[in-house]
Amino acid sequence: MAVGPCSISLQEHRVQLVESWSQNVTHLQELLYQVGALTEEDLSLVRGGGHLGVRDSMRNLLDVLHGRGEEACRAFFHVLQSQRANKESESMLTAIPPEGSGPSSSGSGPTNMQEHLRKHKDILGRQHSPVDYLSIKTIRCSSSESSDESCSFTDITLSRCVGYTVPLQYHQHEVAMVGDAFRSQDQVCTFQDVCQSLLSVPGEDVSLLSGVAGSGKTTVVRRLVHEWAKDSGSQKIVLSLSFRELNLLSEPQSLQELLLVHYSHLKPVLPWVIDSQPGRILLILDGLDEFRFPLEFERSPKCSDPERKLGMGEMVVNLIKGHLLPGISILVTSRPHAVSKVPPLLVTQLYSILGFSKDQQRHYFEQSCNSPLVASAMWGYVSSYQPLQLMCRIPAFCWIVSTALRDRAPCCLSQVTTTTLPNTVRTMPAGSSDTSTSNNRAEEATPTPSTFSSTVPRVMLMSGHVKPITITEIYCCFLKSILVFHGEGHSQEGCSPQCLQEAPRVLQEMRPMLRDLGALAFKGLLERRFLFDQADLSSFSLDCSGLSKTFLVEILREDRASLTCQRSFHFIHTSVQEFLAALYYVLQALSGSDPFSGLKSAVGVALFPVALHKVLTSTADKLLRPRRLLRRYVKKAFSWGGHHQSGHMDLFCRFVSGLLVPQTRVILDGLFRGRSQILPSPSSSLPVPSPPPTPPFLLSLLHSQLQCGRLSPERQVNVCHCLYEAQDPGLAQRLQGWLQVLAQQQVSDQSGPAKRDWSELAFLLQLTPDLQDLNLEAQGLDAEGLRRLLPVLPLFSTLRLAQNPLGPEGAVVLACAMQSPDCRVERLWVVGTGLGCKGLKVLTEGLKDNHTVVDLRMAINHIGDVGAGCLADLLRTNHTLKDIRLRDNQITDKGALLLLEALTENTTLEQLWMFDNKLSKEGVRKLKEFAKSTSHLDIKVCI
C-alpha cells in the first residue's frame, strides 16, 4: 500500500492530534463513517467495546486510518478542516498535497493570526502601561520623551543564577534582607538582560523572579509586557495570569477554558497556538506567595490535556512540570519565603530583585519631583540617614518617602524637628504668621546634600545636634500627606498653611474610619492574610469608597457563567497594612482598650455578651490605672511579635515603638486624643512646649527584651530597630562605640563583653551593606555574642574572629553560617579561639557543602591528631579551600599522615601551613617530599 503525504503527516502529528481532538473523537467517527472513510467494523474497533477512554479511542482511530491508507487519511484531514474553520494549523495545511481533495494550503490563517496578535499586543500594552498608586502624578518626562512611556520606568538592579538552593527557613522580616541583597555574589544583570532571555524563542524553561514586598516584581512584569508589546518583531506570545485571580476560581476548570475566558479576543487563534506552537508562549504567573491552593508536586495527577478540568493547584503543578503545554516558557514571581514551593530541579534560572541602587534611588526622586531643587534636597535628606536610605532600596518605600516629603517636606517635618546645623538656616515652625514668605523659607530651610555630608557621619546615626528621622515618622508623614493633600476636595498642588491648619480637624474626622481600617489590617496581620473579601470589610463597617478606597486596591473577577463579579481587596503595600495595624493598636492601647478584644467584638466572636463585656472592661479600667493598662498592652504586643519567629510581626513592632513616642505622634495631631497635654489650643497665646520624651517604661521593656535569652538572634536585632524607632537617647552613643570597634580603635575592656550587646552590632552591620570585612579580633566575643551576630555573619567576605573565646559552642554558630545558602564568606580566620578537636569536627561538617571559603586560618586551636583527621575527611569532599593554616595545633606524625592520604585525592589545595606542630624529622621529611611531588601544593613546615 502506497504511503502518501497525508499518511506521513498523520504519523508526524499523532501526539498533537491526540492532545487536541480526543474530546471530539465520537463526532469525528460519525463524520468519517458518513463519507465512507470508516466501516462499521472500523467503528467497533475504534470504540473498543465502549470500555476505552477518549484518548485511547483517538489513538485507535488514527491507527485504523493509517492502516486504511492515503485516501482515508486525506478524508480525515478534510473533515478536520471543516471542523476547525478559521483555526487551522499551518503545519497541517502544508502537509496535504495541493492537487488532492484535502484542504488547501492557501488558507487565510496566518493573516488572521497576525491581526489577532496585533490586537493582543495593543490590549496588553495598555493594560501594562506605567501606573502610580492613588493616581498621584510622579512621572516627569521631557517633551521629546513624552511619547515613550518607558521613560517612566526607573531601572532596577537584579541578579541571576542558574537554578537555586533551597533556602533555610526565613526568620527575618523581608525588610531586613534588603541591605543584604546587594552583597550577593550572584551575577548582576539588568532588566534588558532579563527581557532578552525571557522573550527569546524557543523557551521551554521555568524561571523564578524573587523579591520582597514592594521590590517591583509586578512592575518588572508590567515593563516586560510593555516592552514586548512595543516590539513588533517579537515572536513570543505573552499571556499573564495573577495568582490572586486564580484564588477566586474554586471550581475545577480546564487550562484552555481559563485562557480563553481571560483572553477572549484570542478565541479564534489561541487553540491553534496551544496545539501547534506552544513554544511561542511565555506564560507569566504573578504572585506565588499569595496562592491559597497547595502545590503538591509529588501527589498531583499527571495531566497533558489542556481541555481537561483541573483544580487550580493541580493545573499550576502540571504547567511547571511541563505536562501541560510542553515547550512553553514560564515566569513565576514570588516573595522569597514562597520560592521553595517550586522544587529546585524544575527551575532553570532564578532572578532576584535587589532593588534600587543609590544612583537609581536618586533617579527615582528626580522623576517623582516637579522641581530639581526639591529632588536634590529630598535625596540629600534621605541619603544622610542610613536607615531611610537602606529602606529606599525597596522601590515601594521610595514611593512612600516621595509621597510623604515631595513638595511638602518642610511642612510635614517642621512640626517634628528643628534642625541645628552649622552655617545653615533653621527650619521654620509650621503655622508661622508670615505666610507670604512661607514657601521661600521652606526652600531655604531644606538642607542640601552638601550640608548633610559635611555635618552627619555617613555610616548612620547622627550627632546630638541632628534628630534622626525614623521609619515611623516617614509613614506618619505619608499618612498625613495622603489624607490632607490627596483626599477628596483637596488639590495636589503642594502644601499650604491653610491645609496644615485644617489637618488636625481632618485627622480627627478620619479617626473612626482609620481605626476600623487599622483593625482590618491588624486582624489580617495576625492571620497572615493580605487578601480580603467584601465580608471582611463589612465586619469592620468598611466599604470600598472614601478612605478605604484610598488605601485598598480592589480586584474584580468576572464570572461569565453566573454573570456575577467577585471582588477582593488588598492594601496598597504590606508595610502600609503593618503601619495601619500598629496605628490601630496604639490608638486602642492609649485609650485603655484591649486591641485584641476590639477585634473579637468586630467579628462577632466575643466570649461574653456585649453588655457584660463592656461592664467587665469598665471595671478593669477603674481597677487598673491607664498607664498600667498601656504598659500591659504594649508588653503584649512585643510578646506576640517575639513568639512569631518567622519575623512577619517585626515591622509592626517597630511601628508600635515609634508611635508610642509623643514627639512622633505630633505629626498626626488630631488623630490621637488628649493632645492638649502637648499642644495648646489654637486660641492660646502660649508658646508650643516640647513634647515629652519617650516613655521610660518602653525603653525599659525593650532593653529587658535584649537581655532575654529566649529570643532568637533575628528578634534581638529587631529589638534594636525598635529602640531606634523609640528614639533611645543612648543608642547613638553606643553605636558610635561599635564603629570604633570595627575600626579597631577600641579593644575589649577588662570587664569583658557583659556590658556589650552584640545584637546592637548586628543592627549596625545591617545598616552598613558596603562593609565586606568584619574585624572583631580580640574583642571578648564569646559563643553567645556570636549567636547574636548570626543573621549577618554569612554576609561578609572576610570574618576575622581571632583571639576570642568562641569554643566548641561558637563552632556550632560558625557551621550554621557556613551552611547558609546566602553565605559569601571567602576568608575565615579563627586563630586562637579555643575550638579544640570537638569544635573543629562541627566546623568541618559545616564546610563540607560550602563553596565559598578559600582561606581557613585556625592556628593555636589545639585540634591534635583527631582534628587533623576531621580536616582530612573535609579535604576529600571540599574542592574550594586553597589555603589552610594549622600552626601550633599539637599535630603529630599520625595526624600529618592522615592529611597526606587525603591530599592524594585533593587537587585544589595550594597552601598548607604546618609550623610549630609536634612533628618528627621523619614526619617533616615526608611532608616536604609530598610537596615536591605535586606541582599545585606548597607545604610550609619545619622542625
Side-chain angles (χ1 to χ4, degrees):
M1 183 181 298
V3 178
C6 290
S7 298
I8 296 174
S9 181
L10 187 77
Q11 288 298 98
E12 290 179 347
H13 296 89
R14 178 183 176 87
V15 175
Q16 178 183 325
L17 291 169
V18 171
E19 295 288 338
S20 305
W21 292 97
S22 293
Q23 299 296 329
N24 308 95
V25 64
T26 302
H27 186 52
L28 291 176
Q29 293 174 53
E30 295 174 355
L31 293 176
L32 291 170
Y33 177 73
Q34 292 174 5
V35 298
L38 294 178
T39 65
E40 291 184 3
E41 188 176 301
D42 294 331
L43 291 178
S44 178
L45 181 61
V46 170
R47 292 166 183 168
H51 301 295
L52 298 178
V54 292
R55 297 174 69 87
D56 288 334
S57 295
M58 188 67 190
R59 295 187 184 99
N60 285 351
L61 175 61
L62 297 178
D63 290 338
V64 169
L65 292 171
H66 187 262
R68 280 196 154 274
E70 179 69 12
E71 290 302 320
C73 295
R74 190 184 301 276
F76 171 70
F77 282 116
H78 181 75
V79 169
L80 284 190
Q81 185 187 33
S82 66
Q83 294 300 306
R84 302 180 76 156
N86 61 348
K87 50 178 184 175
E88 298 169 300
S89 168
E90 184 179 2
S91 59
M92 293 293 184
L93 293 174
T94 57
I96 300 174
E99 68 274 7
S101 59
S104 171
S105 63
S106 59
S108 59
T111 304
N112 291 336
M113 179 71 184
Q114 295 302 319
E115 292 175 358
H116 286 293
L117 283 184
R118 279 195 295 271
K119 181 179 179 181
H120 179 57
K121 284 190 172 185
D122 290 341
I123 293 175
L124 259 67
R126 290 194 300 269
Q127 290 177 348
H128 292 79
S129 58
V131 295
D132 180 39
Y133 295 113
L134 308 176
S135 300
I136 299 173
K137 188 66 176 176
T138 64
I139 299 170
R140 209 165 42 86
C141 299
S142 63
S143 57
S144 61
E145 297 174 326
S146 59
S147 61
D148 184 8
E149 293 181 347
S150 66
C151 65
S152 60
F153 286 111
T154 302
D155 283 331
I156 199 167
T157 305
L158 303 100
S159 68
R160 173 172 54 196
C161 64
V162 177
Y164 79 97
T165 306
V166 178
L168 300 176
Q169 183 178 0
Y170 285 98
H171 297 293
Q172 301 184 91
H173 193 283
E174 288 181 341
V175 296
M177 307 177 193
V178 178
D180 303 341
F182 275 79
R183 305 181 201 243
S184 173
Q185 293 177 332
D186 296 331
Q187 176 186 358
V188 176
C189 61
T190 64
F191 169 78
Q192 294 301 329
D193 297 329
V194 178
C195 188
Q196 183 177 1
S197 174
L198 293 175
L199 296 181
S200 62
V201 179
E204 196 172 1
D205 56 15
V206 176
S207 300
L208 282 178
L209 178 66
S210 172
V212 302
S215 62
K217 299 182 295 296
T218 301
T219 302
V220 169
V221 169
R222 297 185 72 90
R223 186 176 180 185
L224 177 69
V225 176
H226 189 71
E227 293 292 323
W228 165 79
K230 292 194 307 178
D231 185 5
S232 59
S234 175
Q235 297 300 309
K236 278 287 187 183
I237 301 173
V238 175
L239 305 174
S240 179
L241 298 171
S242 74
F243 283 103
R244 284 177 179 171
E245 294 172 320
L246 299 183
N247 285 338
L248 303 175
L249 303 177
S250 55
E251 297 296 326
Q253 195 170 3
S254 72
L255 175 62
Q256 185 161 308
E257 178 186 3
L258 173 66
L259 294 176
L260 288 177
V261 169
H262 200 81
Y263 296 104
S264 56
H265 56 276
L266 287 179
K267 206 165 189 176
V269 296
L270 192 56
W272 171 79
V273 175
I274 292 175
D275 291 344
S276 305
Q277 296 185 345
R280 293 183 61 184
I281 297 176
L282 170 62
L283 178 62
I284 301 174
L285 301 174
D286 189 21
L288 174 62
D289 52 281
E290 298 173 348
F291 195 38
R292 67 182 179 94
F293 298 104
L295 295 180
E296 299 177 338
F297 282 87
E298 298 297 328
R299 291 187 289 179
S300 294
K302 179 180 178 179
C303 176
S304 57
D305 185 358
E307 296 184 11
R308 178 181 169 185
K309 292 187 176 182
L310 296 169
M312 290 300 104
E314 295 175 344
M315 182 184 296
V316 172
V317 166
N318 279 280
L319 276 168
I320 293 177
K321 294 181 78 170
H323 298 153
L324 276 175
L325 307 187
I328 71 169
S329 300
I330 298 177
L331 173 64
V332 181
T333 73
S334 175
R335 288 165 68 175
H337 67 85
V339 165
S340 57
K341 289 184 178 181
V342 182
L345 293 177
L346 300 178
V347 178
T348 307
Q349 52 192 352
L350 171 68
Y351 296 101
S352 297
I353 299 180
L354 306 184
F356 280 160
S357 65
K358 292 181 181 179
D359 290 340
Q360 290 165 344
Q361 290 176 38
R362 184 188 296 109
H363 180 251
Y364 180 87
F365 288 124
E366 290 173 352
Q367 279 192 321
S368 65
C369 296
N370 296 324
S371 165
L373 180 62
V374 174
S376 177
M378 189 185 302
W379 167 244
Y381 195 76
V382 169
S383 63
S384 298
Y385 296 92
Q386 193 69 13
L388 292 188
Q389 184 178 346
L390 192 65
M391 287 285 286
C392 279
R393 294 198 167 173
I394 303 176
F397 187 76
C398 262
W399 169 73
I400 289 172
V401 171
S402 176
T403 304
L405 304 182
R406 183 180 62 246
D407 297 333
R408 45 199 164 269
C411 298
C412 288
L413 293 177
S414 58
Q415 292 181 339
V416 182
T417 180
T418 300
T419 304
T420 304
L421 294 173
N423 304 321
T424 60
V425 181
R426 290 189 177 187
T427 305
M428 294 296 295
S432 173
S433 58
D434 186 4
T435 59
S436 61
T437 60
S438 61
N439 291 335
N440 293 335
R441 289 179 178 178
E443 286 188 11
E444 292 175 1
T446 304
T448 63
S450 59
T451 301
F452 278 104
S453 61
S454 62
T455 59
V456 180
R458 285 296 305 163
V459 179
M460 65 158 288
L461 299 177
M462 298 66 254
S463 64
H465 296 291
V466 183
K467 175 189 173 296
I469 295 301
T470 65
I471 307 300
T472 308
E473 288 172 335
I474 288 294
Y475 275 76
C476 287
C477 291
F478 167 76
L479 177 66
K480 185 173 183 177
S481 176
I482 294 300
L483 297 179
V484 175
F485 302 110
H486 297 284
E488 295 182 4
H490 299 287
S491 67
Q492 301 181 8
E493 296 299 325
C495 103
S496 66
Q498 291 78 12
C499 287
L500 287 176
Q501 289 174 358
E502 291 292 318
R505 180 189 60 81
V506 173
L507 290 173
Q508 187 174 5
E509 293 174 354
M510 294 287 186
R511 188 178 189 277
M513 188 72 73
L514 277 174
R515 181 205 168 277
D516 294 336
L517 195 62
L520 173 69
F522 184 54
K523 180 174 183 289
L525 194 60
L526 294 180
E527 299 173 357
R528 303 196 71 169
R529 288 180 55 204
F530 303 97
L531 201 64
F532 308 93
D533 55 26
Q534 186 66 52
D536 294 319
L537 269 66
S538 300
S539 66
F540 290 98
S541 305
L542 296 169
D543 53 29
C544 58
S545 60
L547 182 62
S548 301
K549 189 176 181 181
T550 303
F551 294 101
L552 292 175
V553 177
E554 182 177 6
I555 303 173
L556 295 177
R557 171 67 185 177
E558 181 182 358
D559 187 347
R560 299 190 177 185
S562 60
L563 298 179
T564 58
C565 197
Q566 296 176 319
R567 310 165 76 183
S568 60
F569 307 86
H570 65 89
F571 285 89
I572 52 179
H573 187 242
T574 55
S575 66
V576 174
Q577 178 179 345
E578 291 162 309
F579 175 73
L580 291 174
L583 184 64
Y584 158 79
Y585 196 96
V586 173
L587 283 170
Q588 291 291 96
L590 289 175
S591 64
S593 302
D594 186 355
F596 291 90
S597 64
L599 289 184
K600 294 176 183 177
S601 177
V603 298
V605 293
L607 298 178
F608 303 101
V610 175
L612 180 58
H613 183 269
K614 288 183 177 179
V615 172
L616 293 175
T617 303
S618 176
T619 304
D621 290 349
K622 292 177 181 179
L623 294 175
L624 296 173
R625 291 183 299 174
R627 189 167 296 180
R628 289 186 61 189
L629 283 172
L630 176 61
R631 293 178 183 177
R632 186 176 72 177
Y633 296 144
V634 172
K635 187 174 182 179
K636 191 174 183 180
F638 290 122
S639 298
W640 190 270
H643 290 157
H644 289 74
Q645 294 297 327
S646 62
H648 80 280
M649 299 287 289
D650 285 359
L651 198 56
F652 166 79
C653 291
R654 298 183 199 178
F655 284 138
V656 169
S657 302
L659 288 170
L660 287 171
V661 179
Q663 190 163 338
T664 301
R665 295 202 300 270
V666 172
I667 302 173
L668 299 178
D669 179 33
L671 183 60
F672 292 92
R673 292 173 180 170
R675 304 304 300 148
S676 58
Q677 299 175 359
I678 296 179
L679 294 180
S681 62
S683 59
S684 175
S685 59
L686 297 175
V688 178
S690 299
T694 303
F697 84 88
L698 175 61
L699 298 179
S700 176
L701 176 61
L702 292 173
H703 282 293
S704 66
Q705 282 208 322
L706 269 184
Q707 306 305 322
C708 176
R710 296 190 303 271
L711 288 183
S712 67
E714 293 84 4
R715 299 291 74 70
Q716 288 170 327
V717 173
N718 192 64
V719 172
C720 294
H721 282 279
C722 292
L723 283 169
Y724 177 79
E725 295 298 316
Q727 301 179 29
D728 179 7
L731 183 62
Q733 182 178 358
R734 295 194 300 272
L735 293 178
Q736 191 66 34
W738 281 117
L739 291 177
Q740 295 175 2
V741 170
L742 294 177
Q744 292 295 293
Q745 297 174 0
Q746 176 181 327
V747 296
S748 179
D749 55 23
Q750 297 299 321
S751 61
K755 293 185 177 180
R756 290 181 173 174
D757 196 312
W758 297 93
S759 298
E760 291 179 348
L761 176 58
F763 164 69
L764 174 62
L765 293 175
Q766 283 189 345
L767 301 180
T768 53
D770 297 330
L771 187 63
Q772 297 294 324
D773 187 340
L774 180 59
N775 189 348
L776 294 176
E777 293 181 349
Q779 293 296 330
L781 176 65
D782 59 3
E784 174 59 23
L786 193 66
R787 187 185 73 87
R788 294 185 176 222
L789 294 175
L790 182 58
V792 296
L793 285 180
L795 309 177
F796 295 90
S797 60
T798 302
L799 291 180
R800 303 172 187 257
L801 306 175
Q803 307 302 322
N804 285 301
L806 301 181
E809 295 81 6
V812 175
V813 180
L814 288 175
C816 291
M818 297 306 103
Q819 289 174 321
S820 169
D822 298 323
C823 182
R824 298 150 202 173
V825 179
E826 297 178 0
R827 290 166 290 278
L828 178 59
W829 298 351
V830 286
V831 176
T833 52
L835 297 183
C837 60
K838 183 179 178 181
L840 180 61
K841 182 178 181 180
V842 175
L843 181 58
T844 52
E845 288 296 323
L847 288 171
K848 282 185 177 179
D849 295 324
N850 179 278
H851 301 290
T852 62
V853 177
V854 296
D855 185 353
L856 178 61
R857 302 187 185 184
M858 47 183 311
I860 323 174
N861 272 291
H862 309 295
I863 67 173
D865 294 336
V866 176
C870 295
L871 275 174
D873 292 338
L874 172 64
L875 289 172
R876 289 186 174 92
T877 57
N878 183 294
H879 299 288
T880 306
L881 283 166
K882 295 182 179 180
D883 190 345
I884 298 179
R885 305 194 181 188
L886 301 175
R887 180 176 61 83
D888 197 4
N889 266 299
Q890 300 180 355
I891 300 175
T892 67
D893 292 354
K894 180 181 177 181
L897 182 60
L898 294 174
L899 289 170
L900 289 181
E901 291 175 354
L903 288 172
T904 58
E905 305 175 26
N906 183 296
T907 58
T908 55
L909 190 69
E910 299 175 358
Q911 299 278 347
L912 177 62
W913 299 58
M914 296 287 291
F915 292 121
D916 301 329
N917 280 290
K918 297 182 178 181
L919 299 174
S920 66
K921 292 183 179 180
E922 181 65 17
V924 172
R925 184 184 63 79
K926 289 182 179 180
L927 286 172
K928 289 185 175 181
E929 287 182 356
F930 183 85
K932 290 179 180 179
S933 65
T934 57
S935 58
H936 61 86
L937 178 62
D938 180 17
I939 300 179
K940 299 183 182 297
V941 63
C942 65
I943 299 177

mmCIF file of all heavy atoms in Angstrom, residues 811 836-846 866-867 870:
data_model
loop_
_atom_site.group_PDB
_atom_site.id
_atom_site.type_symbol
_atom_site.label_atom_id
_atom_site.label_comp_id
_atom_site.label_asym_id
_atom_site.label_seq_id
_atom_site.Cartn_x
_atom_site.Cartn_y
_atom_site.Cartn_z
ATOM 1 N N ALA A 811 31.791 27.193 67.431
ATOM 2 C CA ALA A 811 31.931 26.455 66.175
ATOM 3 C C ALA A 811 30.572 26.055 65.624
ATOM 4 O O ALA A 811 30.375 25.993 64.401
ATOM 5 C CB ALA A 811 32.802 25.218 66.394
ATOM 6 N N GLY A 836 39.328 23.502 69.635
ATOM 7 C CA GLY A 836 39.628 22.133 70.010
ATOM 8 C C GLY A 836 39.172 21.151 68.947
ATOM 9 O O GLY A 836 38.575 21.523 67.929
ATOM 10 N N CYS A 837 39.436 19.870 69.177
ATOM 11 C CA CYS A 837 39.057 18.871 68.176
ATOM 12 C C CYS A 837 37.542 18.753 68.069
ATOM 13 O O CYS A 837 36.993 18.482 66.993
ATOM 14 C CB CYS A 837 39.695 17.527 68.509
ATOM 15 S SG CYS A 837 39.216 16.863 70.122
ATOM 16 N N LYS A 838 36.829 18.961 69.196
ATOM 17 C CA LYS A 838 35.366 18.878 69.166
ATOM 18 C C LYS A 838 34.772 19.993 68.313
ATOM 19 O O LYS A 838 33.890 19.760 67.480
ATOM 20 C CB LYS A 838 34.828 18.961 70.599
ATOM 21 C CG LYS A 838 33.319 18.824 70.697
ATOM 22 C CD LYS A 838 32.873 18.898 72.158
ATOM 23 C CE LYS A 838 31.351 18.804 72.252
ATOM 24 N NZ LYS A 838 30.894 18.889 73.667
ATOM 25 N N GLY A 839 35.251 21.222 68.522
ATOM 26 C CA GLY A 839 34.746 22.337 67.727
ATOM 27 C C GLY A 839 35.111 22.217 66.268
ATOM 28 O O GLY A 839 34.321 22.551 65.384
ATOM 29 N N LEU A 840 36.338 21.706 65.981
ATOM 30 C CA LEU A 840 36.754 21.560 64.592
ATOM 31 C C LEU A 840 35.883 20.538 63.863
ATOM 32 O O LEU A 840 35.559 20.713 62.687
ATOM 33 C CB LEU A 840 38.216 21.143 64.523
ATOM 34 C CG LEU A 840 38.773 20.953 63.110
ATOM 35 C CD1 LEU A 840 38.689 22.260 62.330
ATOM 36 C CD2 LEU A 840 40.199 20.441 63.127
ATOM 37 N N LYS A 841 35.515 19.476 64.562
ATOM 38 C CA LYS A 841 34.657 18.466 63.946
ATOM 39 C C LYS A 841 33.328 19.076 63.495
ATOM 40 O O LYS A 841 32.837 18.810 62.394
ATOM 41 C CB LYS A 841 34.416 17.328 64.926
ATOM 42 C CG LYS A 841 33.583 16.200 64.355
ATOM 43 C CD LYS A 841 33.421 15.062 65.354
ATOM 44 C CE LYS A 841 32.593 13.927 64.748
ATOM 45 N NZ LYS A 841 32.427 12.804 65.708
ATOM 46 N N VAL A 842 32.751 19.925 64.353
ATOM 47 C CA VAL A 842 31.492 20.589 63.992
ATOM 48 C C VAL A 842 31.700 21.545 62.819
ATOM 49 O O VAL A 842 30.897 21.600 61.880
ATOM 50 C CB VAL A 842 30.937 21.354 65.212
ATOM 51 C CG1 VAL A 842 29.698 22.155 64.827
ATOM 52 C CG2 VAL A 842 30.611 20.388 66.345
ATOM 53 N N LEU A 843 32.800 22.315 62.842
ATOM 54 C CA LEU A 843 33.056 23.291 61.790
ATOM 55 C C LEU A 843 33.296 22.624 60.442
ATOM 56 O O LEU A 843 32.808 23.101 59.405
ATOM 57 C CB LEU A 843 34.251 24.160 62.179
ATOM 58 C CG LEU A 843 34.637 25.266 61.189
ATOM 59 C CD1 LEU A 843 33.471 26.208 60.945
ATOM 60 C CD2 LEU A 843 35.860 26.028 61.697
ATOM 61 N N THR A 844 34.043 21.509 60.428
ATOM 62 C CA THR A 844 34.300 20.819 59.152
ATOM 63 C C THR A 844 33.022 20.245 58.556
ATOM 64 O O THR A 844 32.874 20.198 57.332
ATOM 65 C CB THR A 844 35.328 19.696 59.345
ATOM 66 O OG1 THR A 844 34.912 18.839 60.427
ATOM 67 C CG2 THR A 844 36.698 20.266 59.652
ATOM 68 N N GLU A 845 32.060 19.839 59.407
ATOM 69 C CA GLU A 845 30.766 19.385 58.887
ATOM 70 C C GLU A 845 30.052 20.518 58.168
ATOM 71 O O GLU A 845 29.410 20.313 57.138
ATOM 72 C CB GLU A 845 29.901 18.848 60.030
ATOM 73 C CG GLU A 845 30.348 17.505 60.582
ATOM 74 C CD GLU A 845 30.238 16.387 59.534
ATOM 75 O OE1 GLU A 845 29.281 16.409 58.756
ATOM 76 O OE2 GLU A 845 31.139 15.530 59.507
ATOM 77 N N GLY A 846 30.177 21.719 58.737
ATOM 78 C CA GLY A 846 29.551 22.871 58.087
ATOM 79 C C GLY A 846 30.236 23.288 56.809
ATOM 80 O O GLY A 846 29.619 23.909 55.936
ATOM 81 N N VAL A 866 43.167 14.108 66.181
ATOM 82 C CA VAL A 866 41.733 13.898 65.908
ATOM 83 C C VAL A 866 41.205 15.004 64.998
ATOM 84 O O VAL A 866 40.476 14.752 64.034
ATOM 85 C CB VAL A 866 40.937 13.846 67.224
ATOM 86 C CG1 VAL A 866 39.440 13.730 66.933
ATOM 87 C CG2 VAL A 866 41.405 12.683 68.092
ATOM 88 N N GLY A 867 41.575 16.238 65.291
ATOM 89 C CA GLY A 867 41.159 17.354 64.441
ATOM 90 C C GLY A 867 41.756 17.259 63.056
ATOM 91 O O GLY A 867 41.095 17.596 62.058
ATOM 92 N N CYS A 870 39.659 15.030 61.049
ATOM 93 C CA CYS A 870 38.434 15.702 60.579
ATOM 94 C C CYS A 870 38.730 16.571 59.359
ATOM 95 O O CYS A 870 37.942 16.615 58.392
ATOM 96 C CB CYS A 870 37.852 16.559 61.695
ATOM 97 S SG CYS A 870 37.261 15.624 63.122
#
